[in-house]
Structure formats: structure tokens, C-alpha cells
Amino acid sequence: SSNEHKLNFKKSKEACVSYIQDALLQKQWKRSAEFLTCYVESLEKDYSREHIGPSEMIWRIGTEILWHHSQSNMKEFNCFMEQMKTLGVKRYLKVCLEHVFHLLCNGHIDEAYQNLSLAESWRFGEQTAIQDKEMKLIQAYRGLLDYCSWSKQKNILLEHGEDGFSDLAVEREMHGYFRKAAVNLKEIIKIPGVWDVFVKCYVDLLEFYGDHNEARQVLNEYAYNSKFPANPNAHVYLYQFLKRQGESKKSLISALKILHDIVPSHELMIDFNTMLQKSKKRKKRQLGLEVIFAALDYAGWKENAKAWSCLARQMKQIVISEKHLDWIKQEWNSRKDWWPAFHFSRYLAKRNWQENKSLSYEKALVAGILLGKDSKYFKYVSHQGCKAQLKRFRMLKKFVTRHNPAYLRISG
Amino acid sequence: QSWPVYEEVFNKMHELAAFLDLPRFPDITESCFLHPDMLCMKYLMEANLPDELHNWTCRVVKKIGIGEVDFLTLTPGNKSKRKVKYDVLAAAIIVVVLKLLFLLDDHYEWLLSEFAEERNKNNTEVCMFYSGGPYFEFKKWYEVVKHSLDVEQKKLDEARAKYLWRCEKPLFYSVKNKSKVLKRRQMVVNLQNQFGKLSGSVQRAEKPNPSSFQLSWSEENTDGSCFHGHSLKGILQEKCGLLTAMNPDYWLCTVKLCNEKLCGHLAHYKEVEFPQSYHFVLGLFSFLLRIQPSYIHDEVCMIEHKLFNKKLCKKLKYNTVLRK
């Protein structure tokens, strides 16, 4: 057992790493640099059996320190990254990519582009095939930067266009960037993954050049291909595209339906409800009610006057027509235990009245229908409104009082 | 690569001496540095214990005959004689003396300390002058020493984590490897420079301390953190004109010693089986000597068995507490 206590190289370096860790967690960059200086000699040892070797450790720790240390600068950082690239061929592309990210974060777009191009031309026997994924990412980011350049040229062109100038050179450059960008962006989005930025840019390019079919196909793939991870943004992009294309309400609604299923609190739910309310189909109108109720379940929507007005409008219509009160009853069943405290407390009545009269108006209407004319919220707001001699609040009071039987049917 | 353990070096040294057929080394007498009396003085000072304890260590040394020239002097090749670990022995003697005077059962030493504290409070400056300093309070000593020990231990741990192992010239075993190894070395040097600059102003070249003391205590400190001059009178009593310990009890670390040749140790030390105060004292010397506490524990057992030899022979196996 005397061997357990022996201080050896391995234990000494393990202890060193744990000191570095502590220092990093406490943002003590000088101290972590101090210990890293002592750790660095591990590079000369064989660690092939370990999970994470010293070269990876040094790369990751060194990056953190150089990124945050007050005395470090981009030049030092770049120099370090170049050294790290030579340290491990299996990690070469990953290091390149991360270097590029750091350059982009610091606004060094040109340098980032150079690094990406350089990395793209890298070949190393079978490693090239093994690191295929990283290579695709590198190409994708280069495509992204090409897109940025394209975008810049496009803006220049538009400006000149406004002034009546046409600039063939700029146009040619622009088309050149388009080709370069399109090729790479198309490749990456074939692979299952979350590629919001790439997809958006690619679709932008396609739309500009009028290739709407390809754009539609890309967006459909991104949203509906089950191999891709579930991504609400995919549906948002598809919806926005379809809207731009002036597609039928039917296809717009089907695009948003999935979004409602995944993210009931999404901001597009207002648009969705508005579309559904106007639909001629009963099922769609009922869905609309479901959608707006579901959105208002979330705290972030509590003070959204637009959302409340959607709900109020729809509920008012249902009450007046006296048809489909059961829809409201169904939605209210699962909410009547907690919505009163969540939305319709006396405290909220006071606050809403003070801060946003429109909000309190819409909410009061809903409260009046769901909880009756004697509910705290409705009573307070309508009283305040009538006191202030605001016409619509008087109308509100009359309406709710007249339709109290509806409340009784809903709550019963 | 690793730092050799004390025992390894010790054993190798003896093997080497025997192999080289070295003659008996120069005698170790009372004036030699390696004599227990001298070493005890050194370690008492370093452990910040009262000088008065030295009388007691000398008494123990004399009683069990470990101050004898023949016992101490190294005779290579003489396998029947137990090899002496001078510093460990000195530390162990101090531990035994502390056990004699303070019992160190996690109870008695604190009582004594409170008692001394009371007497210190009531004493005037004049009384202190005559008794040669305030009465030694175990509690105060513990607090001061523990604090310093913790600080030094932390420094040692950090130094160990920062220790640089590589040699000046890189080794490589084949010509093929040469360029790779040299490139690596170059990179290491580059990185050390780069991050060394970012380490802040910590790179003062510290001159190695010429003294072998790791802990030092100065009487000139007015904060009362030096206990060298403190008096043991608070824990002693007069009997027949002699000062003896107030503590009438003693506990043996182990009733039966192991056969060292078979299992390598005289006893097996497990922290949980012993009082915390004992563990602390072992820990203190273990830090100073840079060895495992179990080695000191072994020596303590050996000394105790020599000291209480007669009583042990007579006693039944079951009792572990003896009356002096």
C-alpha cells in the first residue's frame, strides 16, 4: 500500500488539472495560466490509454484562458490555435472550426474566411474521410460567409438601382457568391441536423433567383423529414415562406397546426387563431378556440392584449350565436381550477386596470363569460370603467349581464 | 516517474551499505546531531512545544536505553540489530512524552488545557515571570499549530501539483522519433513561455531556504504564537520533591507488536481507531518528516513496549490501560 501514497507524475498532473479546473471555475485566469504552464510538459508523455489526452486538455483549457485573460489578444490567440492544429491530426478540423468561431465572434470575418478555405483544402489520408462531418461544417460556414458577401453585393446593387445606376461588375460578383454559397449550403442541409441559419440563408438565395420549387422542397424536407430532429423553427420558416408565396389558407393552417402541437405558446398562435376563427369549417373554428386558450396557459402571455382580444372576440361571437357553448365548456373544464387565480384575481384586476385599459377590457369580457357577472375581476373592472364613464365598459357590463345564462350553462 | 518513498530509500541505503561491506560508522554520542536528545530538541522547537519537554524526552531516552552508542551507531551487515530511523525515532519520543503528560484521549488534554487557562487568567505578570512564562495550554497550541500546518500543507500540495518533471534534454529511443520528440519539446517550451507570461507576477525566483526547518516560531512575536518558553507547571505536580505528571493514566497504541520481518510493520495504523488528538500529533510530525503517519506510529509502539516492558510481561492480555 505504500505505492498508493507515492507521488508520481500521473498524480501530480491530475492534481495540477484539478487546480486548473478550480481556477477556471472561479475565473482566475492568471492562476489557471500558472498551473497550465506546469501541466504543459504532459505533452511529452504517452497518454494513449486515457480518454482525454493532454493535447486536448491543453487545447480546451488554453482556449478558455486566452479568450478571457485581460492581457491576451487576438494575435496570441491565433498563434496558439495554429500550434494546437499541429498537435493532433484527429482533431485538426475541429480545432479549425472552433478557431473560426472565435474569429467570427471577434468580427474578423476575412480571417475566418481564410481559415475556412485553408481547412477546406486539407487532406490527410484516411483522416479526411473520418472527419467528413467536420469538413461539411467547414464548407457550410464558408457557404454562409459567401452568403454574407452575396447579401452585401445585393444591397449595393439595390442602392445603385435606386439611383438609376446599373453595375455589371457588382452583379457578376454577386452571382459568383451565390453559386459558391448555394453549393455548400445545399450539401449541409441534406444531413439531419439543426441548421436554421443555413436553411434561412439558402431559402433566401433561392427565392431571390426565383427557384420557389426548390425552396419549398427544402423547407418541407427540413420540417417534415422524420430523420431531422423536431425543430419548431422549421415550421415557422415553412409558414413564412408559404405566406410570402400567397398560398391558400389551408396549407398555411396545416403548417401552423404542427407548430401548435410542438410549441403551444409560440407567438404565431395569434395569427393561427385569427385564421382559424375566420374559417368556414366548424372544426377549424373549434381548433382556433383551443389554440388561443392553450397559448394563454403560459405566463408569458398573461399581459398580451392582442391574445385576449382574440379570445374575447371568439367567445363573444359564440355567446351571441348561442351555438357551440360546449366548446367553451370543454376548454374551461381543465382550466377552471387554476385560471381564476392565474388570470382573474382582484390584484390583477387592479393592476391591469392601472396599466392597460384595453387589456383589462378584453380580460373582463372573458372573465364575465367564464365566471359570471359576480366575479371579482369583472366586477372591479366594469365598475372602474363605468365610473370613468367609458362607453365601452358600460356596453361590456350590459353584455355580460344579458348573457349571464351562458355563464351558467358553461359552469354547470 | 515518481518521488521515492522514505522506506524505499532507507532500505536501499542499508542494502547498499551491507553490499559495500562498509565498516561500523562513527559513533553517535550525545553531542552528535543524530542523537535522540539533539533531534528531539530540534523537533520540539519546530513543533512549537515548550522547551521544558526536553527534560522529559531525555528521561524517556535514558530509561529505555535508546541513547546508547551501540544502539544508535550504524553497523552495516549486522542483521540482528534493528535499523534506527533517527528522525522518526525522535518524533516518536516526543509523541510518547505528549501521551505521558497529556494522555491524548480526546478528553483529558482539553481538561488540562482549561485548567491551565484558568490559572493563566488568575496569574499576574510577576507570577509568570517567576514560573518562566505562562502555563502551556494545549488548546492554544493546537489552534496555532493547526493553522500553520494547514497553510503549509496547502502550499506543499500546490507545489506538488506544479512540480516539473521533465529533464533538460529530451530522451528519444530511435532516430525516427528524434524530430517528433524535438518538435514536441519545442512546442512545450513555446506554450510554457506563452502561458508563463500570463501567469502574473508570480514568477519570483525563490531562494531555497537554507534552514531545514519548515515551521518557525519566534519568541519576538507579540501575538503569543510561540510556545517555546511556556511552562509545564500547569500540568505537573510535586511528589516527593520531584515533578511528575498529573496524568496518572496511559494507553498503549497496541498491546501486541507484529513481527516486523513478516508483515513489514510493528503495528497497523488506522486513523479511525485512535483519538483525534493522537492523529493530529502524528499528522504534524508526518508532515514535517514527509512520511506516512504509520511509520511514526510503529516507532511509538516500539518505544512504548520498551518503556512498559516489565508491566506488559506481568499484565494479562486484555487490559490496555496501565497505571504508572
Side-chain angles (χ1 to χ4, degrees), chain A residues 2-3 5-9 12-13 15-16 19 29-31 33-38 40-41 43-45 58 62 65-66 69 71-72 76-77 79-80 83-84 86-87, chain B residues 1-5 7-8 154 157-158 160-166 170 181 184-203 292 295:
Chain A
S2 68
N3 281 322
H5 301 289
K6 251 169 128 159
L7 182 65
N8 55 23
F9 179 83
S12 171
K13 291 308 171 203
C16 195
Y19 277 104
W29 310 114
K30 287 207 174 90
R31 191 170 150 87
E34 194 187 325
F35 280 94
L36 185 60
T37 313
C38 305
V40 154
E41 61 174 14
L43 280 178
E44 296 186 76
K45 280 268 153 198
I58 291 170
I65 296 176
L66 287 171
H69 198 290
Q71 282 170 327
S72 164
E76 289 239 15
F77 189 82
C79 173
F80 173 74
Q83 285 191 79
M84 290 300 107
T86 67
L87 258 192
Chain B
Q1 278 169 309
S2 62
W3 278 335
V5 168
E7 247 206 345
E8 276 176 27
K154 196 163 170 236
D157 289 340
E158 273 194 27
R160 280 186 172 159
K162 287 198 214 168
Y163 191 74
L164 291 178
W165 297 79
R166 68 174 176 140
V181 167
R184 272 284 154 113
R185 170 54 63 98
Q186 186 57 47
M187 172 158 326
V188 167
V189 170
N190 287 344
L191 289 173
Q192 281 174 331
N193 284 337
Q194 185 170 28
F195 288 100
K197 273 190 255 159
L198 296 177
S199 299
S201 53
V202 197
Q203 307 300 347
Q292 290 298 306
Y295 292 129

Side-chain angles (χ1 to χ4, degrees), chain B residues 80-133:
Chain B
S80 56
K81 219 175 65 166
R82 187 168 189 274
K83 304 188 187 76
V84 181
K85 298 175 177 148
Y86 303 101
D87 296 87
V88 185
L89 185 63
I93 294 168
I94 299 178
V95 172
V96 169
V97 165
L98 287 175
K99 279 178 78 180
L100 282 168
L101 296 178
F102 297 97
L103 189 56
L104 294 187
D105 66 344
D106 281 345
H107 188 63
Y108 191 73
E109 65 272 21
W110 306 111
L111 277 178
L112 277 184
S113 181
E114 272 173 33
F115 189 53
E117 195 184 350
E118 275 302 309
R119 286 174 77 174
N120 273 335
K121 261 196 242 160
N122 296 335
N123 277 355
T124 60
E125 297 276 336
V126 177
C127 283
M128 270 199 229
F129 178 75
Y130 279 115
S131 68

